Amino acid sequence: MDTENAAAGRPGADVDPAAEGRASELGQLPEAPAVAREVFGERYDAAVRYTELLASAGVQRGLIGPREVPRLWDRHVLNCAVLAELLPAGTTLCDVGSGAGLPGIPVALARPDVSVTLLEPLLRRTTFLEEVVRELGLENVTVLRGRAEEMVGKLAVDVVTARAVAPLDRLAGWGMPLLRPHGQMLALKGDSAEQELADSRAGLTKLGAVEWTVIAVGEGTLETSTRVVQVKAGESPGGVKAATRRAKAARAGRNATVRNGERGRGGRRRSR
């Protein structure tokens, strides 16, 4: 039996009401704060439903701790959504190690113009994410199962985000190679932001970073602002190794295109 699939359960649109009731007993989900309407605008109702799914199916499947339910809005959903302040219009974004969809789904809800890829290696999590995306009708969100290191040369975005995935130096090694030239990595890091950045500067330089800083977002909107490590890439995000892997993947893609074209014209080359 596929244990990951068994853990994932049924589609989110068919979540067992009894399961939602059991989840609610573990922690009381408060009403959405007034500021949520300001942050999510026309997608406010979808944001409310997403938070309800986190508090029910998310808890039942082990994606959210039951003690986090009372603070889902402030500490998780809104805390992530304000990351949208740093995104230019029409940005493509990859949320590495998306888990329950944080920060990717709140950002996608707050910014319908941003194309978001939720990258997650575990089946039970990608199953939950697919259910959420389908139920909320998020046309600007794609769920992709896999590890970041497997996607170099296959996926290229303007922005990489992550939250509670790994220490900054390790996270940069996974995320920076997925960036387009002059893209940026935005890592939600909380109180550890400055120290992790100080410890990672040498590694960031090797990974093609040219600028980095700690930024507070959500000031004036949230009671406690969100602290983000912003790392900007230069011409070669991810460094020399990533550039080599991207070039190799590009060559493989071109060769596959040529082979497919030859098959379409008769299946084999003519001898000269």
Side-chain angles (χ1 to χ4, degrees), residues 50-258:
Y50 171 56
T51 308
E52 291 172 349
L53 288 170
L54 289 177
S56 54
V59 171
Q60 289 297 312
R61 300 183 190 186
L63 305 181
I64 293 290
R67 294 182 181 179
E68 295 302 310
V69 172
R71 50 190 182 183
L72 273 176
W73 278 109
D74 294 335
R75 186 169 180 175
H76 299 281
V77 177
L78 287 169
N79 178 271
C80 290
V82 293
L83 192 67
E85 296 177 12
L86 301 176
L87 304 178
T91 291
T92 57
L93 178 149
C94 178
D95 182 18
V96 173
S98 191
L102 300 165
I105 289 180
V107 169
L109 286 165
R111 289 287 300 276
D113 64 302
V114 173
S115 297
V116 175
T117 297
L118 307 177
L119 181 60
E120 169 57 48
L122 295 184
L123 177 59
R124 66 185 177 89
R125 295 175 181 171
T126 55
T127 299
F128 173 79
L129 293 173
E130 288 169 349
E131 294 165 1
V132 170
V133 168
R134 183 167 57 250
E135 179 163 343
L136 302 185
L138 296 179
E139 296 181 355
N140 61 324
V141 178
T142 300
V143 179
L144 185 60
R145 185 183 177 196
R147 300 182 182 279
E149 53 267 38
E150 300 169 347
M151 298 298 160
V152 181
K154 302 177 184 178
L155 178 67
V157 294
D158 303 314
V159 178
V160 165
T161 61
R163 179 177 186 259
V165 173
L168 183 62
D169 54 351
R170 196 186 316 163
L171 174 62
W174 297 335
M176 293 288 288
L178 301 181
L179 291 174
R180 295 191 174 111
H182 308 291
Q184 61 176 329
M185 183 178 73
L186 302 173
L188 284 71
K189 281 296 180 181
D191 294 337
S192 68
E194 281 87 356
Q195 186 59 54
E196 287 198 46
L197 185 55
D199 294 341
S200 304
R201 287 177 178 174
L204 291 176
T205 300
K206 292 180 180 179
L207 289 168
V210 295
E211 186 179 339
W212 45 77
T213 188
V214 176
I215 300 175
V217 292
E219 292 182 322
T221 300
L222 306 180
E223 290 186 8
T224 303
S225 60
T226 301
R227 296 171 65 76
V228 179
V229 176
Q230 181 185 53
V231 180
K232 295 184 179 181
E235 287 285 348
S236 184
V240 175
K241 289 184 178 179
T244 302
R245 291 180 65 183
R246 285 193 292 267
K248 183 177 180 180
R251 287 195 299 272
R254 288 194 296 269
N255 292 338
T257 300
V258 171

